[in-house]
Amino acid sequence: ERIGGSRLLLTHASPYYEALLGPGTVEGVSGVVKPDKDFSSAAHRALIGQLHALGNAPLPAELDVRLELICLAAKLRDAPSAGPNAAARVLERCERAVRDSLCADNCLAVLLQLKPCAADVPGLVDAAHAVVIENVAAVLEQPNRHTFVEKYPKAAMSIMHSIAL
């Protein structure tokens, strides 16, 4: 899927895109940036929309897209910057929105999607762990609990150990 974006806005809002679309780069010459295959087109669309609005556009309503946007923005946030970095603003806003919506029904989904970028959002991961521990009976009823245990057995054991204490 092709997602349009303004080179001027993207390079102004993000040091990552400033470097990527700079003179002499393949992307800078062609004007085409290949998307990160680890993320959906919905997450890329949301990121481009956020960067066009300098991190102030409405956040995606869907939790899974918000979680992907967190990981995608975290990858871009740490680019060296002398100017604005809208990815940092997007990350901050998404983290706050997800933290505010955390509950027994979505905490495992949050942990499953954020595990790959957990080092970038430790406070949010810790908050999701706390919700799991506070609501263990409800969480154990979730169908994705098996997926969590299979994908992250050490994290599952750590949570179970915390519950046992």
Side-chain angles (χ1 to χ4, degrees), residues 73-139:
K75 286 180 88 168
L76 304 186
R77 173 195 59 192
D78 296 328
S81 174
N85 187 346
R89 170 103 175 105
V90 172
L91 180 60
E92 174 188 305
R93 289 181 59 231
C94 283
E95 271 190 85
R96 190 173 338 120
V98 170
R99 184 173 288 129
D100 290 347
S101 69
L102 270 175
C103 65
D105 293 336
N106 67 16
C107 57
L108 277 184
V110 169
L111 288 175
L112 276 166
Q113 268 192 270
L114 292 185
K115 262 316 196 187
C117 65
D120 295 307
V121 287
L124 185 53
V125 170
D126 290 345
H129 276 268
V131 172
V132 169
I133 291 166
E134 292 169 10
N135 301 282
V136 70
V139 171

Side-chain angles (χ1 to χ4, degrees), residues 6-20:
S6 163
R7 179 189 303 243
L8 177 66
L9 289 173
L10 292 175
T11 57
H12 175 73
S14 168
Y16 172 82
Y17 282 105
E18 183 178 21
L20 190 66

Side-chain angles (χ1 to χ4, degrees), residues 26-39:
V26 172
E27 293 85 356
V29 172
S30 71
V32 176
V33 175
K34 291 194 178 4
D36 187 322
K37 294 178 184 173
D38 291 337
F39 301 98

